Every structure is written in C-alpha cells, then in structure tokens.
Amino acid sequence: MFRPGLGGASLLLLTVLGSSNLAAQERIALESDLLFYADNTEFSNPFREGETIFGAAARIGVAFDLNDRVTLLMGAFGNQRFGSDDAFEQVRPVLSLTVSGKRSSFVFGTLPALTVSAPVGPDRGGPHALLPPLQRETLSFDRPYEAGLAWIFTGTTVHNSFWLNWQRLNTAEHRERFDGGFNGSLRVSSLVSIPFQIHVVHEGGQLYDSGPVADSSAAALGVDVHGTIATRYRASIELFGVGSRYVPDRSRPDLSRDGIAFFGRVAAERANWRAHVIFWRGRNFIKDEGDPNYLSIRQNGVRYRGTRDYAEIGLAKRFKLAPSAILEAAGRFHRIETHYEYSYRILSIVSPSWRFH
C-alpha cells in the first residue's frame, strides 16, 4: 500500500506550481514554518519526571489567495525527533481554508503554527498560550500539528481565540479524543484587562464502546494590571482564580473530582528580555494535558489530598535573527513542594515565504 510522505507531498507541490492554469493566477505563495526546539527539564519529584525534547517540526505549503479574504493552503508537515530511528515521528498533510475580515479570521483544517510574534517566555509557550496548569507548554513540541477549527478576533477592547483540535477517531480500539478552548481578554482601560481562559479535553464517541467516556475541563478568570515603569520596563501582574472538573469515567461518578486554585504571575520585559515569577496554590486540581507540576495527582496515579504549592522564577531572552526568524533562550528554577529543580530551553521559529505571480 502506498503511504504518502514528505517526498510525495513535495512532488505534488511542484506539480501544482508547474500547472499553467494555476501559475496564471495572481497571489500564489510558497510558505513554510519551521520550529526548532530543545527543552530539558531536570525534574525528579513525585509529580513529574525529567525529560529532554529535542527536534524540529516543519511545514511547507502553497497558499492560494482566492481573493482578499479567502486563502487556501495545501502542503505537508513533518516532526523529527533528533536521535530517533525514524526520519519523521509524524507526517501529516497540511490542508486549510482561511477566511479573514478586518478584525477576525476563521481557519478550517490544519491549525496555524507558532509564529515569530508568539509571546516571549517559556511559561507562555504552549500551543494556545494558556496558563500552564490548563495546558502544558511542551505540547508545542510533543504535538506541533493540530487540525480542526479556529476563530481569532482582535478588536479595540476585546480579543479572543477559539479552537477545536481533533486528535483521534472513535475506533474498535479506542474512544475518539479532541480538545478545545478559549483564550480571551477584555480591555477595561489602558492599564487593566480581564483575561478569561477555558480548556476542555473529551474522550467519547458512539460508534464503538471501546473504553470509558471521560471529560477534563478547567477555566481561569483573572485581572491583568500592566504598564510601563521608568519609561523602560513593561511590567505586569496577573492574578487568576482557577477551577477544574475531572471526570475519568462518566459511569463512575465517585471518581470525579472538582478542584480550585490560585495562579499569580509577575513579569517584567525590556529589550526582548523577560523575567517572571509564578506562584500557585491548588487543591484537588487535576487537568488532562495540564503541567503535572501544578496538579494534585502523583505520577503513580494517587491523588494528593493536601494543598499543592508550586513556584517558579525564569529569565528569557529573544533574538531577532531576521524579519521572519527568531531565537529564544530561557532558564527556570522550580520549587515543587519540597523539591527544587531547574530547566532550560532553546527554540527557534523560522517562517520564510516566497510569492509567485
């Protein structure tokens, strides 16, 4: 059986570019997004083990601007883990339709990759810049390919992003799985905004009864006070109340748990440097895809029955290599209950494009 890979997709792209009919159209571009990542966590505690994630994810495609508002993108994606026996850990097609307006855009298909405009700092480096207890940042490396629906709105007082990422189909071997979320903010004044985040992970499906139906959700509502200090430093204080609902099996309500927590973050930025401090206190907070350092469950699956404490301090520096390329280096020091650990990360995002007529 023929299995399409990057080579077959590249041949398809060259064939499309060489078509006389398509070449006669205007506003055709070859676009690429490359993510190089090296993340190392020196952890050894009851909640999270250390891990090194080292590799590169690449996507390349041809973008057809059907008009000023509609763009069709077709291409291929590959994720390579350095040191793996396989050339690519994952190969997927890139197919997306984007409809853009003055303040919003709707994406149907392959969701957008991280761009050079992503926020500075590893604590905001997740696929959708959610708080780490809602969705861990390393998913940007473990799962750099997502497909489904996304809606992004940017207004003068409100901006938000909504997405649905379909991860797995319902088969005789396993339930279907998807996650979705919302990350928005309401601007109250030039110094104050009200952020709101929600993330849901669901496993279910009606075609095959192949495991329990499970849900995991969490929401965070807070206040963000930000401004400029001494005309040099951009500073912010974020305070969130966070709640979670964990249902590992709908047929076993005795296993469900409701959790509450407080998340606080103070940060200061200047000249592409960023320093931050995070404080966290939570009780019974369990969240699928959340960072285990924040969760009230041990690695062995046993629930932590007390109040979880976590804190970290970090420093990051971003280098602008070119208009379409950045390099970021970051280091963090973590306190997980009575355990003290450190981690560091280097990543680069490169997004060149070439326009054809």
Side-chain angles (χ1 to χ4, degrees), residues 286-301:
I286 304 174
K287 174 64 175 61
D288 197 357
E289 295 193 4
D291 187 331
N293 279 337
Y294 295 82
L295 306 186
S296 297
I297 188 168
R298 295 180 172 88
Q299 292 187 58
N300 58 10

Side-chain angles (χ1 to χ4, degrees), residues 2 143 253 308:
F2 174 71
R143 197 178 67 202
R308 277 295 326 275

